[in-house]
Amino acid sequence: MKPRVFEPDAIEGETGSRGGQNGAAALARSEKRQQARVLSREKRRKKQYRLIGWLLVAIVVLWGASTLLWSGYGALKTAASREMAIMRLKDAIEDRDVAALQAMLRVTEESVPINEKTLAPLFAYVERHPEAYKQLDREFARQRKSGHVYIKGLTSYPPVFTIHVFEDRYVFEPALYFLHVRVDDPEALLVVNGVKTEEEATKDPFVKKIGPYLPGAYAVTVVHSNGKKKTVRVELFGGARVHEVDITK
C-alpha cells in the first residue's frame, strides 16, 4: 500500500478553515460575554434605582409620619395643658384659694384688683349655685370648638371666664359687669356689698351706672336722702355685660 501524501495547500486550507472557525467562535463568545456584562449592569442599575426609589418613598413616608406625630403630639400637649388649667381654676374657686386665683386671673382694668375682698362675691355665688361649674365647662367647650375671640368692651355677652395664652401659659380673663340701677330719687346713694360706690351719670337722671364688677353675687342697697334703705340681690355670672336693676319696684 502506498503511503498517503497530503498536499501542502490542502493542509494549509484545512488549518486556515479551522482557525477561522475558532476565531469566529471566540468573537461570538466575546460578544456574548459583553452582552452578559451589559445585561448584568442594567440589572444592577435597575436594582439600585428601585432601592433608591424605595428609600425616597420611605423618607417621604417617615417625614410625613414624623410631621403628623409631632403635630399630633403638640396638639395633645396643648389640649392637655388647657384642660389642666381649667381644672386648676375650678379647684381654686372651690377651695377659695386667693393666691392661686391671683396667678391665674388676668384683669387689665386697674380699678378691679384681684384680692380676697373682690373674690368674695364669686365664692358666695358658686357656694349657692354648685351647678356653676357645669356652666363653666359648657362655656370652655364652646370656646374650644368655635375658636372665637372675645374682645373686652365689644362683646355684649362674654363668657364668665375667657381662656387664652399669655406669656406661654394659660390665663383666664373674667367678665367685668356693669349695673344700670334705676332709682326713684336722683340724690340717693348706692352701696354694693357694704361699700359706697362711685356713680357715673347717664342720660336718664334716675339711672345710675356703677361698676365694673367681677362675676359673683352682690347686694345693692339704695340709701335715700331721708335715710330710708332698700336692698336687692344681683347675681352676675354670665349674660349681658350691662345688667339692668330696678330698685323702684
Side-chain angles (χ1 to χ4, degrees), residues 92-233:
I93 294 174
E94 186 175 10
D95 297 338
R96 300 192 175 207
D97 191 337
V98 175
L101 290 172
Q102 286 176 328
M104 285 187 281
L105 300 184
R106 183 172 181 267
V107 179
T108 56
E109 182 65 50
E110 294 181 358
S111 63
V112 186
I114 303 296
N115 53 42
E116 186 173 0
K117 188 173 184 178
T118 58
L119 289 172
L122 174 63
F123 299 150
Y125 179 86
V126 296
E127 184 176 5
R128 191 178 304 163
H129 300 281
E131 69 277 7
Y133 296 106
K134 292 183 179 180
Q135 178 180 340
L136 293 180
D137 288 336
R138 290 192 296 269
E139 290 188 350
F140 287 133
R142 281 197 296 269
Q143 292 181 59
R144 180 177 62 252
K145 291 178 181 178
S146 66
H148 182 70
V149 177
Y150 295 88
I151 303 174
K152 186 180 68 174
L154 298 180
T155 305
S156 298
Y157 293 84
V160 178
F161 293 101
T162 301
I163 182 172
H164 57 86
V165 177
F166 177 73
E167 294 183 351
D168 297 328
R169 65 187 181 92
Y170 281 105
V171 296
F172 300 88
E173 186 167 352
L176 297 179
Y177 300 99
F178 291 86
L179 298 178
H180 282 184
V181 183
R182 177 170 291 279
V183 297
D184 50 13
D185 180 5
E187 301 301 322
L189 301 178
L190 293 177
V191 177
V192 178
N193 285 5
V195 179
K196 182 182 178 302
T197 63
E198 295 292 333
E199 305 163 4
E200 183 178 338
T202 65
K203 294 180 180 180
D204 188 339
F206 291 94
V207 175
K208 299 176 181 289
K209 180 181 179 181
I210 57 176
Y213 296 103
L214 292 173
Y218 294 86
V220 180
T221 301
V222 57
V223 182
H224 294 278
S225 55
N226 59 5
K228 185 179 178 180
K229 299 180 181 180
K230 184 178 181 180
T231 300
V232 296
R233 298 195 178 278

Side-chain angles (χ1 to χ4, degrees), residues 38-51:
V38 171
L39 290 175
S40 178
R41 184 165 57 247
E42 288 181 354
K43 287 182 180 180
R44 288 197 304 271
R45 285 181 177 178
K46 288 180 180 180
K47 186 176 181 180
Q48 288 175 340
Y49 291 153
R50 284 197 299 269
L51 178 60

Side-chain angles (χ1 to χ4, degrees), residues 59-75:
I59 290 172
V60 171
V61 171
L62 289 175
W63 178 80
S66 63
T67 302
L68 290 174
L69 288 173
W70 183 254
S71 61
Y73 168 76

